[in-house]
């Protein structure tokens, strides 16, 4: 259950926001966003699954949960493919994509939170945590000690350089993302959070409510910009907190945890938008078609997290959880990330349909994604729910072929 919920959310959030920004943001690239979703799905379901198979195969997978994850992803991809071939999507169809993921999560809870399923999930999560902990504690320490023995001066210099460029980023994040641990409580940072978080939240909604919107505040005949009113109110609250709050909370606060999550999502969404702006600039300067940018730079960059996390799980002796994350993460990107963006777009043109731009490269991406999913489901089922090593080579070869064909099509058709 952890693999198809927490692991999928953690690995899929940046990809989902980047693709949603590509589809729905001002000046966005709809074709690049859709190509990124499909190419990232093909990358994870073929290349990453193949890598996990080469590292840990042969290994067994739980029949019920494996069939559930792959089949639901296959149904979701097939449904979206049908919608794409119809060249238009209505609001109810976009909402249905998001609701299908909610149905999938509910099905996961129903299957895994039974008496026997709950015990199995807890054991898997404990083993995965222990395995990842060993990978995180043992391997880096060994490599670090080796480097220190070889060249301690170089390691010290690199460590200092890393801290130099990390400090400004960490400082800005501390100012805008509250810490949830009582041991890290700091009155100055908390006051900065109270003052700056509402402004950042207002900025994230600036496309709906302009920052310079004039509203009446305090003085009946005077109108002030909305951002100044929010800044004044939050600054007063910050001063009050600084004067009256003396001690750190004894336990974690649910409100601060929720605010931390919201602010983290806002930062991810903002960075995704900036990433798309950079990709658009690169495409304009180097005259690259949007589809190539979506299926290479955007898809690979956003899928690195899936590759690292799933390979680490496979090396830690937990390939089953890694395989589950390989299907749940891309499905989250497709149904929640792309689905949410489509809900916004279809709501703007409701009751009319939102027109989808046809491109043969998108069709090729759908075909290869469906082939990898159907092939994995059939091969693993035929092998009595064991992942064979030869299928890892087949999946990696399939993804290489997909990349070559897609880039060739994008280069010729634009």
């Amino acid at each position: 259950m952890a693999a198809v919920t927490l692991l999928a959310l953690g690995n899929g959030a940046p990809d989902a926001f980047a693709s949603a920004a590509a589809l729905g943001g001002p000046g966005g690239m709809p074709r690049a966003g859709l190509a990124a979703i499909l190419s990232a799905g093909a990358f994870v379901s073929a290349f990453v699954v193949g890598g996990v198979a080469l590292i840990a195969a042969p290994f067994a997978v739980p029949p019920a949960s494996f069939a559930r994850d792959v089949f639901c992803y296959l149904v979701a991809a097939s449904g979206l493919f049908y919608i794409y071939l119809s060249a238009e999507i209505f609001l109810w169809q976009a909402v249905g994509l998001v609701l299908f993921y909610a149905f999938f999560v509910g099905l996961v809870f129903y299957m895994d939170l039974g008496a026997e399923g709950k015990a199995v999930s807890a054991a898997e999560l404990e083993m995965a945590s222990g395995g990842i902990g060993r990978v995180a504690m043992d391997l880096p320490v060994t490599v670090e000690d080796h480097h220190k023995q070889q060249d301690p001066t170089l390691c010290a210099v690199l460590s200092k350089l890393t801290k130099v460029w990390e400090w400004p980023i960490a400082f800005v994040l501390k100012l805008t993302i509250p810490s949830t641990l009582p041991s890290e409580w700091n009155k100055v940072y908390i006051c900065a959070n109270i003052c700056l978080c509402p402004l950042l939240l207002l900025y994230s909604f600036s496309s709906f409510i302009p920052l310079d919107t004039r509203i009446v505040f305090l003085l009946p005949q005077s109108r002030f910009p909305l951002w100044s009113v929010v800044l004044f109110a939050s600054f007063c609250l910050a001063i009050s907190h600084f004067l009256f709050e003396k001690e750190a909370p004894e336990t974690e606060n649910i409100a601060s945890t929720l605010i931390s999550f919201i602010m983290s999502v806002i930062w991810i969404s903002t960075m995704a938008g900036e990433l798309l702006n950079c990709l658009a600039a690169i495409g304009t300067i180097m005259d690259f078609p949007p589809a190539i940018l979506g299926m290479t730079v955007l898809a690979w960059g956003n899928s690195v997290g899936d590759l690292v996390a799933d390979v680490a799980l496979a090396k830690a002796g937990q390939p089953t959880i890694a395989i589950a994350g390989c299907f749940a993460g891309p499905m989250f990107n497709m149904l929640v990330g792309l689905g949410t963006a489509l809900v916004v777009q279809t709501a703007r043109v409701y009751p009319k349909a939102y027109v989808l731009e046809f491109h043969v490269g998108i069709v090729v991406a759908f075909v290869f994604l469906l082939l990898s999913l159907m092939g994995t489901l059939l091969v693993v089922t035929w092998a009595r729910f064991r992942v064979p090593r030869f299928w890892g080579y087949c999946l990696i070869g399939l993804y290489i072929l997909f990349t070559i064909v897609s880039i060739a099509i994008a280069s010729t058709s634009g």
Side-chain angles (χ1 to χ4, degrees):
M1 184 176 65
V4 299
T5 52
L6 299 178
L7 184 60
L9 178 61
N11 288 339
D15 195 1
F17 279 110
S19 302
L23 183 69
M29 300 177 290
R31 191 195 302 175
L34 186 55
I37 284 286
L38 298 175
S39 298
F43 177 83
V44 176
S45 62
F47 190 86
V48 177
V49 172
V52 172
L54 293 181
I55 292 173
F59 60 89
V61 293
S65 59
F66 175 81
R68 174 201 64 205
D69 298 343
V70 181
F71 182 75
C72 286
Y73 190 18
L74 185 60
V75 170
S78 301
L80 186 60
F81 189 27
Y82 173 80
I83 293 173
Y84 183 75
L85 290 178
S86 66
E88 60 182 13
I89 180 172
F90 292 91
L91 178 61
W92 68 268
Q93 294 173 316
V95 173
L97 294 175
V98 180
L99 292 180
F100 184 79
Y101 187 80
F103 164 78
F104 169 72
V105 174
L107 182 62
V108 171
F109 274 85
Y110 175 78
M111 294 178 62
D112 289 358
L113 285 185
E116 182 179 357
K118 187 174 181 179
V120 172
S121 299
E124 288 181 350
L125 184 58
E126 182 179 357
M127 292 175 65
S129 301
I132 296 176
R134 288 192 296 271
V135 171
M137 290 186 294
D138 295 341
L139 292 181
V141 170
T142 303
V143 173
E144 184 179 357
D145 290 342
H146 174 73
H147 282 291
K148 285 183 178 180
Q149 294 174 2
Q150 297 293 329
D151 194 347
T153 304
L154 179 60
C155 291
V157 172
L158 292 177
S159 178
K160 291 182 179 180
L161 289 177
T162 302
K163 291 181 179 179
V164 167
W165 69 264
E166 280 185 352
W167 183 86
I169 300 176
F171 179 70
V172 172
L173 293 179
K174 285 183 178 180
L175 291 178
T176 53
I177 301 179
S179 176
T180 59
L181 299 178
S183 59
E184 298 180 358
W185 185 83
N186 185 293
K187 181 185 290 189
V188 176
Y189 280 127
I190 295 298
C191 293
N193 297 151
I194 296 174
C195 186
L196 298 179
C197 285
L199 280 180
L200 187 58
L201 184 63
L202 181 64
Y203 173 77
S204 66
F205 289 97
S206 58
S207 59
F208 302 97
I209 306 176
L211 294 176
D212 57 352
T213 301
R214 297 278 176 169
I215 61 174
V216 177
F217 182 69
L218 294 181
L219 302 177
Q221 303 299 327
S222 301
R223 292 179 176 269
F224 299 91
L226 179 60
W227 67 266
S228 63
V229 175
V230 173
L231 177 61
F232 177 79
S234 59
F235 181 77
C236 293
L237 291 175
I239 293 297
S240 301
H241 183 276
F242 184 83
L243 294 177
F244 298 106
E245 191 71 22
K246 302 298 183 180
E247 298 180 355
E250 297 181 358
T251 59
E252 294 185 9
N253 194 316
I254 297 179
S256 63
T257 303
L258 180 61
I259 294 174
S260 299
F261 175 78
I262 294 174
M263 299 310 298
S264 300
V265 169
I266 290 175
W267 270 114
I268 293 175
S269 178
T270 302
M271 292 300 102
E274 295 304 319
L275 172 63
L276 263 297
N277 293 335
C278 294
L279 286 179
I282 293 174
T284 302
I285 294 173
M286 306 189 69
D287 197 22
F288 282 166
I292 290 183
L293 295 174
M295 72 179 57
T296 54
V297 179
L298 187 58
W300 293 340
N302 288 330
S303 300
V304 168
D306 299 81
L307 178 63
V308 173
D310 295 329
V311 169
L313 283 170
K315 289 183 177 180
Q318 296 299 320
T320 302
I321 300 180
I323 288 292
C326 288
F327 300 114
M331 183 162 55
F332 172 85
N333 301 339
M334 177 181 292
L335 297 178
V336 178
L338 182 63
T340 303
L342 288 173
V343 168
V344 174
Q345 295 300 317
T346 53
R348 291 177 178 176
V349 297
Y350 180 81
K352 297 181 180 180
Y354 177 72
V355 178
L356 299 173
E357 181 184 356
F358 180 84
H359 190 269
V360 65
I362 304 297
V363 176
V364 170
F366 269 116
V367 170
F368 273 90
L369 175 60
L370 294 175
L371 282 177
S372 66
L373 293 174
M374 288 188 292
T376 299
L377 183 60
L378 292 175
V379 169
V380 174
T381 304
W382 170 76
R384 297 186 177 182
F385 293 98
R386 294 182 65 85
V387 180
R389 184 178 298 274
F390 82 89
W391 186 239
Y393 290 105
C394 295
L395 286 175
I396 292 178
L398 182 67
Y399 180 76
I400 294 174
L401 178 62
F402 159 70
T403 303
I404 294 174
V405 173
S406 298
I407 292 179
I409 292 175
S411 300
T412 56
S413 60

